[in-house]
Amino acid sequence: MARKALALVVALVAAGGAVTYVAQDDAEKAADIRDLPVTRVEAEKESVLVADEDRRLNQVRAITADAPKGNSGKPFRLATGAGYTLVLTQRALPYTVSDLLKLAPQTFVRQTGDGSYLLSENLFVTPGATLSLYNPGGLTVKMASSPTGFVSIVSFGGDLRLTGAGNATVKLLSWDARAGKTDLDPRDGRAYIRAVGGKFTMDYSEISNLGYWSGRTGGLGLTGTDRPNTGATQAEQQEKAQTAGENSKNKKKIREKIREQARQERQQQNDKGDGDVSILPPGDIATPGQGDTWTVPDKSFVTVQITRSRIVGNAFGIFVSGANGVAISDTSVEDSLLDGISLHRFTYNGRIERTISKNNRGDGVSLARASHDILITASTAEGNGGNGFSLNGQALADGASAAGESIEPYGNNTIQNSVARDNVRYGVEVLGGINIAVQNNEITGGDMGVVVRQHADKVTVVGNQVKKPRRQGVSIRDGVRDSVVTGNVIDDPVTGVYVRDAGAEVRGNTIQGAKLHGVSLVGGVAGSVVTYNVVTGAGPSAVDRARSHGDTSVDHNQTFGWHDTSSLWVQIKRIARPLTLLWLLIIFMLATSALQARRRRKFGVKRGLNPYDKQVLMEERPVR
């Protein structure tokens, strides 16, 4: 098997194309293939699979929106392409494992060997419905996932709950039934879980080896709703507009007209090759009757609560966008093919605490643009292939755009009392934004400790302990203004604090064992202040500002523990400045004058005296 795996890897590399991610090895399954380069052909296939899933969900949403309320509480099944989708409709009581056994006796089957359940049908949870996966003795759901196809659990505006207990964990994983093992290869698509709007709750649960290619299909995708522009939802919008001022007699006729229009739209989509979608009577499940249409919620945010859980081996560990209220605590995210925790666009009011994100191929925790008011506390990012923590607060646009995005930066994000350890890139990276705080963190290893750039404003880097970065401990650069770097302890950097083309107040830091510079100012650094820092180490200079310009204040720094290793000529050039040379010339002239005066005194020459004043005329005596 090892030779076959090696041959596959060699063949894929020979085929060419960009490598996008690597599938992680599951030690328990003793997988043979660890590195899976993705060729261009395979990448295109994955993107097509994402588009197919979007199309399927749009079709299911359209039909569900047009389904009659009179059938409320009676689920139905849709034939969607080559598979089936079980639609769980609105009702007061949650759907449970026992309900799934009755509604899908052929596609939700208990396995005799380990007592797990094999799910081989898509599940779709509608608004007003709740799917609660729980079993008093623990629950394992194997989601069918193989080269021939995969299933998903999608909640659209509903309530999806994975709630285990301390000794009864809920587990969901991808499963290749033919191979009898977990599906570790995402190149042909893979089973996933997604909540679109509504609520998602996860407690004492484990999700492993799910997802592929995109955030929304990345394993655990939690996103806001985005209504399609075609299908029944468009007709529903027209219905609302047309029936607003009509009396009750005309409303029924208008509804019937709108429903017919929606059916025609869906038929046109099917004629264009979007796939055949039909309502089928799956066994004892009743076919929907006629009545009022269901309402689809307008664009809304998803609410997320994840506690005491574990996510392993997903494409994206946790992907969140369009969310208002995100709480992730006491959770571990490991071995993701991309980012561990990704808070994407329009994620507000989030809190990540006591969470570990480690050994992910991308960033440990990533806050993308338009995410704001996020607090990360008491969390750890370790051994990730990108940054430990990334906070991107840049504006969505820098001018007029097709989508009309805002040009204002985002911010009010804080990372505190956390640990970033041995990440390949940076411990913490701040990209733009406003009102960002990086405080009281422990950052070890990596290329740099804390990096702030891209015109970030009002950033405080306070009280952090940075140990053994490969280059710089704290780097402030590229247009950053009104930033404060204070109270940090930086051990064994090449350069302790690096400021380039930015403005920063570097005050009260302790830099120990620097190998090049303690503090370095480069480029336009007008307004920067470097004061009351304690700098030890060995290198050309403790405070380097030879390459900077602009008015700066550098004083009261303690550099007595610095060993200057620069050459004599460098030291001469360092002091050979015009004003310094002028003072040296004045001192030289004064010294020369003093020396000449001393020499005169030595030889009995005094200034202001006649040198012949001791000579007297000879006494005149008469001649004899």
Side-chain angles (χ1 to χ4, degrees), residues 223-294:
T223 66
T225 62
D226 50 346
R227 299 175 54 163
N229 294 325
T230 59
T233 53
Q234 181 179 7
E236 178 197 338
Q237 293 172 355
Q238 295 175 358
E239 175 186 358
K240 290 180 179 179
Q242 293 180 14
T243 60
E246 298 291 337
N247 55 42
S248 57
K249 294 182 180 180
N250 294 331
K251 285 183 179 180
K252 185 176 181 180
K253 295 181 180 179
I254 294 176
R255 288 195 184 100
E256 292 176 354
K257 181 178 180 180
I258 297 300
R259 290 195 199 103
E260 180 61 26
Q261 181 179 352
R263 284 190 287 268
Q264 293 177 0
E265 289 176 351
R266 288 198 304 274
Q267 183 61 43
Q268 291 175 359
Q269 289 181 346
N270 294 338
D271 293 341
K272 293 179 181 179
D274 286 343
D276 295 330
V277 179
S278 57
I279 301 178
L280 302 176
D284 298 330
I285 301 178
T287 304
Q290 300 296 325
D292 296 334
T293 59
W294 288 10

Side-chain angles (χ1 to χ4, degrees), residues 289-366:
Q290 300 296 325
D292 296 334
T293 59
W294 288 10
T295 59
V296 180
D298 205 346
K299 181 173 181 179
S300 62
F301 295 101
V302 63
T303 301
V304 179
Q305 183 172 0
I306 301 175
T307 56
R308 295 170 292 195
S309 296
R310 185 169 181 253
I311 294 95
V312 183
N314 286 0
F316 281 90
I318 301 174
F319 179 87
V320 183
S321 71
N324 188 359
V326 177
I328 302 174
S329 63
D330 302 295
T331 295
S332 102
V333 182
E334 307 170 23
D335 301 328
S336 304
L337 307 183
L338 297 164
D339 293 340
I341 300 175
S342 178
L343 304 187
H344 204 57
R345 304 290 174 85
F346 307 110
T347 301
Y348 313 138
N349 302 322
R351 186 181 181 93
I352 301 174
E353 56 184 343
R354 299 183 302 278
T355 292
I356 299 173
S357 183
K358 65 180 183 179
N359 300 331
N360 303 290
R361 185 172 173 82
D363 296 338
V365 179
S366 173

Side-chain angles (χ1 to χ4, degrees), residues 27-206:
E28 295 181 356
K29 299 299 179 182
D32 294 317
I33 300 177
R34 302 192 182 199
D35 256 3
L36 294 177
V38 178
T39 65
R40 291 182 179 275
V41 174
E42 292 164 338
E44 180 62 26
K45 180 180 178 181
E46 289 193 65
S47 64
V48 169
L49 288 173
V50 173
D52 289 343
E53 280 296 288
D54 290 341
R55 185 180 300 111
R56 180 183 69 85
L57 293 177
N58 285 342
Q59 292 170 342
V60 173
R61 288 163 60 179
I63 293 178
T64 302
D66 195 43
K69 287 183 178 179
N71 193 53
S72 178
K74 296 182 180 180
F76 57 91
R77 178 171 291 137
L78 301 176
T80 50
Y84 296 94
T85 299
L86 179 63
V87 179
L88 304 179
T89 58
Q90 177 182 5
R91 76 177 193 184
L93 295 176
Y95 292 91
T96 62
V97 171
S98 59
D99 292 311
L100 294 179
L101 289 172
K102 295 177 183 178
L103 297 172
Q106 294 176 316
T107 55
F108 188 75
V109 181
R110 185 179 176 87
Q111 306 297 288
T112 56
D114 55 5
S116 63
Y117 294 87
L118 178 63
L119 175 65
S120 55
E121 177 178 23
N122 299 301
L123 299 181
F124 187 90
V125 184
T126 63
T130 299
L131 174 60
S132 178
L133 296 179
Y134 168 74
N135 193 41
L139 174 66
T140 299
V141 178
K142 297 177 178 178
M143 301 176 64
S145 181
S146 68
T148 59
F150 55 87
V151 300
S152 66
I153 300 176
V154 177
S155 169
F156 179 71
D159 190 349
L160 180 57
R161 304 174 186 174
L162 312 179
T163 51
N167 57 352
T169 305
V170 174
K171 298 181 179 180
L172 287 91
L173 65 151
S174 63
W175 187 256
D176 188 339
R178 292 185 179 180
K181 63 180 182 179
T182 302
D183 185 3
L184 299 177
D185 189 350
R187 295 173 298 177
D188 49 21
R190 203 160 54 162
Y192 68 93
I193 300 171
R194 183 181 177 189
V196 188
K199 298 179 181 179
F200 177 82
T201 305
M202 182 175 174
D203 188 23
Y204 283 114
S205 299
E206 179 177 320

Side-chain angles (χ1 to χ4, degrees), residues 251-511:
K251 285 183 179 180
K252 185 176 181 180
K253 295 181 180 179
I254 294 176
R255 288 195 184 100
E256 292 176 354
K257 181 178 180 180
I258 297 300
R259 290 195 199 103
E260 180 61 26
Q261 181 179 352
R263 284 190 287 268
Q264 293 177 0
E265 289 176 351
R266 288 198 304 274
Q267 183 61 43
Q268 291 175 359
Q269 289 181 346
N270 294 338
D271 293 341
K272 293 179 181 179
D274 286 343
D276 295 330
V277 179
S278 57
I279 301 178
L280 302 176
D284 298 330
I285 301 178
T287 304
Q290 300 296 325
D292 296 334
T293 59
W294 288 10
T295 59
V296 180
D298 205 346
K299 181 173 181 179
S300 62
F301 295 101
V302 63
T303 301
V304 179
Q305 183 172 0
I306 301 175
T307 56
R308 295 170 292 195
S309 296
R310 185 169 181 253
I311 294 95
V312 183
N314 286 0
F316 281 90
I318 301 174
F319 179 87
V320 183
S321 71
N324 188 359
V326 177
I328 302 174
S329 63
D330 302 295
T331 295
S332 102
V333 182
E334 307 170 23
D335 301 328
S336 304
L337 307 183
L338 297 164
D339 293 340
I341 300 175
S342 178
L343 304 187
H344 204 57
R345 304 290 174 85
F346 307 110
T347 301
Y348 313 138
N349 302 322
R351 186 181 181 93
I352 301 174
E353 56 184 343
R354 299 183 302 278
T355 292
I356 299 173
S357 183
K358 65 180 183 179
N359 300 331
N360 303 290
R361 185 172 173 82
D363 296 338
V365 179
S366 173
L367 274 58
R369 302 187 189 195
S371 294
H372 60 84
D373 294 287
I374 308 296
L375 172 63
I376 303 172
T377 182
S379 296
T380 300
E382 179 178 2
N384 298 289
N387 299 322
F389 300 92
S390 294
L391 288 69
N392 191 340
Q394 298 180 88
L396 293 174
D398 56 4
S401 61
E405 303 288 6
S406 172
I407 61 173
E408 295 298 321
Y410 296 84
N412 297 328
N413 298 321
T414 299
I415 171 172
Q416 65 182 22
N417 304 322
S418 294
V419 176
R421 183 184 300 117
D422 297 330
N423 299 286
V424 173
R425 200 161 179 258
Y426 309 147
V428 177
E429 182 177 29
V430 178
L431 292 166
I434 186 170
N435 294 329
I436 311 296
V438 181
Q439 56 192 27
N440 302 326
N441 302 290
E442 180 182 327
I443 303 168
T444 304
D447 186 39
M448 300 186 196
V450 179
V451 177
V452 182
R453 60 191 185 96
Q454 294 296 338
H455 302 279
D457 190 14
K458 297 181 180 178
V459 180
T460 58
V461 182
V462 179
N464 301 284
Q465 186 170 2
V466 182
K467 301 177 181 178
K468 297 182 179 180
R470 288 191 295 273
R471 288 194 290 164
Q472 299 153 11
V474 177
S475 177
I476 310 294
R477 63 179 195 254
D478 303 337
V480 175
R481 288 292 178 267
D482 198 13
S483 60
V484 176
V485 181
T486 183
N488 303 283
V489 178
I490 304 172
D491 293 336
D492 299 325
V494 174
T495 298
V497 179
Y498 178 83
V499 181
R500 185 188 72 195
D501 294 325
E505 179 182 346
V506 183
R507 182 189 299 270
N509 302 283
T510 300
I511 301 168

